[in-house]
Amino acid sequence: MVLLPQDLNMLDELVTIPPLDTIGCHLFWQLLNEDISMVETWGRAVVDMARKHNKRSQLWLQNFHLDEQGEQTLEVSFNKLLSTEPDEVACYYYWRNNVDPEQVWQTTRNLLRRIPRRQLYWQSSTLPRLTIPHLPTVESPETAQ
């Protein structure tokens, strides 16, 4: 479940749903005309609540719909997001409505490379393994004869 910041008041209730394993937030400060400091405030609220209830946290970086000033603050936004130490970081594909999509892509790639190895998805040994069931085969009329 990924919330918008204005819906974070639902966190208390959502984290009590047993089958819900991950809760996240779109930290889209620029789209919501908020100060960049809200990235850390919103992110911390999600990460703290998720940990308190043994859920995973997922925070979404805004790397789309960036004007020139937004592109300049992408690194600051990412650092604020990462400082909350979420379990997962996510972002949309870079080209959406950016003034300089190629630059945003390069910046996003470089920022993602900064994620500490201990936080990388495939490095975590605590992730549950999904069992893929073997389905019975159904014989076709041609092979049943």
Side-chain angles (χ1 to χ4, degrees):
M1 174 76 60
V2 181
L3 301 172
L4 291 170
Q6 59 265 37
D7 297 323
L8 287 178
N9 60 334
M10 296 170 42
L11 272 176
D12 287 336
E13 190 173 341
L14 290 172
V15 294
T16 64
I17 301 172
L20 183 66
D21 61 352
T22 303
I23 189 128
C25 185
H26 293 289
L27 304 178
F28 301 160
W29 62 277
Q30 188 188 34
L31 282 177
L32 298 171
N33 295 316
E34 293 284 349
D35 186 78
I36 196 168
S37 65
M38 293 307 294
V39 168
E40 192 169 1
T41 302
W42 295 327
R44 175 69 48 216
V46 171
V47 170
D48 289 349
M49 187 64 75
R51 283 192 183 133
K52 181 179 174 184
H53 293 274
N54 297 314
K55 307 286 184 182
R56 294 184 58 78
S57 59
Q58 181 183 81
L59 299 181
W60 284 73
L61 174 70
Q62 182 185 340
N63 70 332
F64 65 94
H65 193 67
L66 298 175
D67 57 19
E68 289 173 3
Q69 182 182 1
E71 288 178 10
Q72 296 299 317
T73 58
L74 186 56
E75 183 173 1
V76 173
S77 175
F78 180 80
N79 290 338
K80 288 182 179 301
L81 178 155
L82 206 57
S83 73
T84 66
E85 297 187 356
D87 295 305
E88 300 173 6
V89 173
C91 58
Y92 286 101
Y93 196 54
Y94 70 93
W95 61 267
R96 271 182 73 198
N97 301 324
N98 289 315
V99 171
D100 186 350
E102 289 299 320
Q103 180 59 45
V104 170
W105 170 237
Q106 290 305 320
T107 301
T108 300
R109 286 181 58 203
N110 290 334
L111 292 172
L112 292 174
R113 286 183 179 131
R114 290 189 198 170
I115 296 174
R117 291 191 90 49
R118 63 183 164 74
Q119 286 183 270
L120 292 177
Y121 176 84
W122 61 85
Q123 296 292 324
S124 177
S125 61
T126 60
L127 291 175
R129 298 282 181 197
L130 294 176
T131 304
I132 301 172
H134 293 287
L135 299 175
T137 57
V138 177
E139 292 187 26
S140 67
E142 295 84 33
T143 59
Q145 297 175 348

